[in-house]
Amino acid sequence: MSFSKTTAIAALMTAAAALPAAAQDLCGGAAANGTWIGGSDETSDIASGFGPFDMTAQVPAGGEHVAIFNVSTASDVRVEAAPVADGDTVIDLLDASGVVILSDDDGGGFLASRGEISLDPGTYCLATRSYDDAALTADVRVGLTVHDPITSGGFNDYDAVCLPETEAVSFGGTNLNEGLEAGVAATASIGDTPFYRFNLSEPTSISFTAENQSADPILRIFDNTGYMLAENDDYDGLNSRLDFVQPLEAGTYCIGLIALSDPGAPVTVTANAFSEQDYLETLYNNAETSPPLDGSYPVTDLGLISTRARADVRVDDDLIWHQFQVDQPGLILIEGIGTGGVDAMLTLFDDFGRMITQNDDYGQSLDAQIAARVQPGTYVLAVGRPADYFYGEPGITRVGIEMFVSAR
């Protein structure tokens, strides 16, 4: 990797002092723990033409690294983050008010992140984090699109926008509303059909999916001006999903697709009328929240855990849910031992649906283990496999729960 004179300045200034109070409110407060990528406000203008800015980002576990830069004149800008060793970067580009105007996971190729966008004059923040919330080190570059990139890029144009004049295949005929109850679907490779266009005759809440893990699709929805309303990658394994709970207004829209892996793999795009029940069940199966404990969703009650409990759980594509109670403060230790090649995953929630902790692979194995301090009350445990299913097969996970209390 070659570095410009600006890069050298940035490297020397990475450990600069804390931002002045006036700058800490930038990007909706995200800049409070950020660093000017060029060392200072005055030396961080990417439109100056001196070359790209580079810095090494130390991303803490569960946190993010924020690089701040200026654009003095309207410019076409590329932002990138590439893991130095192990890791999977995710980037968000925020404007001065804190609105995310670009987000990317693997657009730089493999596990690196990359995005290109036209920016008006202003101040911007590039936030880099880890896909799995683990600590990582990443090379970060902010440059103009005429500068050399540090990432290889993926199979598609990541700056692709669906404008009114963009060629797109009709989706759902002249009125998508007419087919939503039964569902509207189309299948084609993203290489051949990156855009679909549809019309709504009335305000409508819709759910969209893009499915084929071999393609690893990114799903985008644009309005008829080319403004991107929403984007999703890896909602269900490597498949994507967008739920418009608030109705889309009547009008013309465009579906945009990007293949992070195989652009020749057939991807099925589906639109359905939004279903709150289906939406909630998807959240449950992604361990984004826990189901209610009122009997409306299957949850097995393991009762009071005073010493030790054990259960064999058959896991397939859906998570299996259990609840248990503790009657005194202490430490709960839960182990998930996969049999026959099962990749066990455990997620622990309190009874309000707030995640306490989650674990997939503990140590060097595919087994899972979590430990958490608990107070008297009810807890909810999800047992299953990681959403990407890269490792392991459906089968039995042996779950052991042990309760430890302080000696008196």
Side-chain angles (χ1 to χ4, degrees):
M1 183 187 306
S2 62
F3 291 89
S4 64
K5 184 181 295 184
T6 305
T7 299
I9 294 173
L12 291 172
M13 299 300 291
T14 299
L19 292 174
Q24 294 185 19
D25 292 332
L26 289 171
C27 304
N33 296 314
T35 303
W36 288 104
I37 196 165
S40 69
D41 184 354
E42 294 77 14
T43 57
S44 296
D45 177 21
I46 193 58
S48 63
F50 294 116
F53 290 105
D54 291 303
M55 68 190 325
T56 299
Q58 300 294 339
V59 180
E64 63 183 11
H65 175 278
V66 177
I68 315 166
F69 65 95
N70 291 320
V71 178
S72 59
T73 59
S75 303
D76 294 330
V77 174
R78 181 189 298 117
V79 290
E80 303 170 271
V84 171
D86 295 331
D88 182 354
T89 56
V90 178
I91 59 172
D92 292 315
L93 183 63
L94 294 78
D95 66 14
S97 65
V99 174
V100 176
I101 57 175
L102 181 152
S103 183
D104 182 73
D105 178 10
D106 299 327
F110 192 46
L111 299 180
S113 306
R114 172 172 167 174
E116 297 178 1
I117 188 171
S118 296
L119 297 179
D120 292 326
T123 299
Y124 299 86
C125 293
L126 178 62
T128 302
R129 65 184 190 279
S130 172
Y131 179 80
D132 59 2
D133 287 332
L136 63 78
T137 301
D139 289 328
V140 171
R141 171 168 289 187
V142 175
L144 302 178
T145 55
V146 297
H147 295 148
D148 290 337
I150 59 171
T151 61
S152 61
F155 291 102
N156 292 274
D157 180 1
Y158 288 88
D159 195 30
V161 173
C162 189
L163 299 171
E165 62 272 17
T166 301
E167 183 177 348
V169 173
S170 175
F171 185 78
T174 58
N175 181 12
L176 184 62
N177 294 89
E178 296 177 354
L180 280 179
E181 288 303 322
V184 177
T187 301
S189 70
I190 294 177
D192 290 335
T193 309
F195 296 108
Y196 294 92
R197 202 179 306 278
F198 64 92
N199 297 295
L200 295 175
S201 59
E202 59 187 64
T204 311
S205 296
I206 309 179
S207 295
F208 296 93
T209 59
E211 297 176 298
N212 188 334
Q213 300 207 59
S214 296
D216 190 2
I218 292 177
L219 173 64
R220 293 169 164 177
I221 303 296
F222 298 88
D223 67 14
N224 201 39
T225 69
Y227 178 77
M228 188 169 69
L229 300 174
E231 177 185 67
N232 179 256
D233 177 30
D234 298 347
Y235 187 89
D236 178 16
L238 298 181
N239 296 320
S240 301
R241 175 174 175 146
L242 287 170
D243 292 284
F244 287 89
V245 182
Q246 295 299 318
L248 291 173
E249 296 297 324
T252 300
Y253 297 87
C254 184
I255 301 170
L257 299 166
I258 292 171
L260 293 179
S261 293
D262 183 0
V267 171
T268 298
V269 177
T270 305
N272 289 282
F274 174 78
S275 164
E276 183 173 351
Q277 179 179 355
D278 179 63
Y279 174 67
L280 290 173
E281 288 183 0
T282 301
L283 293 181
Y284 304 152
N285 279 324
N286 287 334
E288 294 186 36
T289 189
S290 63
L293 303 179
D294 57 6
S296 61
Y297 194 87
V299 179
T300 300
D301 192 349
L302 299 177
L304 178 68
I305 306 296
S306 56
T307 54
R308 184 173 183 270
R310 169 181 151 173
D312 284 349
V313 180
R314 172 77 187 184
V315 295
D316 201 332
D317 290 348
D318 294 341
L319 297 182
I320 305 299
W321 292 88
H322 298 77
Q323 64 172 309
F324 61 87
Q325 295 78 42
V326 297
D327 61 1
Q328 54 187 317
L331 177 76
I332 201 83
L333 176 67
I334 307 175
E335 295 181 274
I337 310 299
T339 63
V342 171
D343 183 2
M345 184 181 76
L346 301 173
T347 311
L348 183 65
F349 296 83
D350 66 17
D351 59 343
F352 285 99
R354 295 174 295 209
M355 184 189 295
I356 297 173
T357 186
Q358 181 182 72
N359 182 254
D360 173 14
D361 299 329
Y362 180 77
Q364 302 300 313
S365 73
L366 297 180
D367 297 331
Q369 183 182 106
I370 57 179
R373 294 186 180 278
V374 293
Q375 297 295 324
T378 298
Y379 294 86
V380 188
L381 176 68
V383 182
R385 298 186 293 154
D388 51 30
Y389 304 155
F390 284 151
Y391 303 103
E393 299 292 336
I396 300 296
T397 294
R398 182 156 293 162
V399 177
I401 305 176
E402 294 182 85
M403 179 67 185
F404 298 90
V405 298
S406 301
R408 292 182 173 84

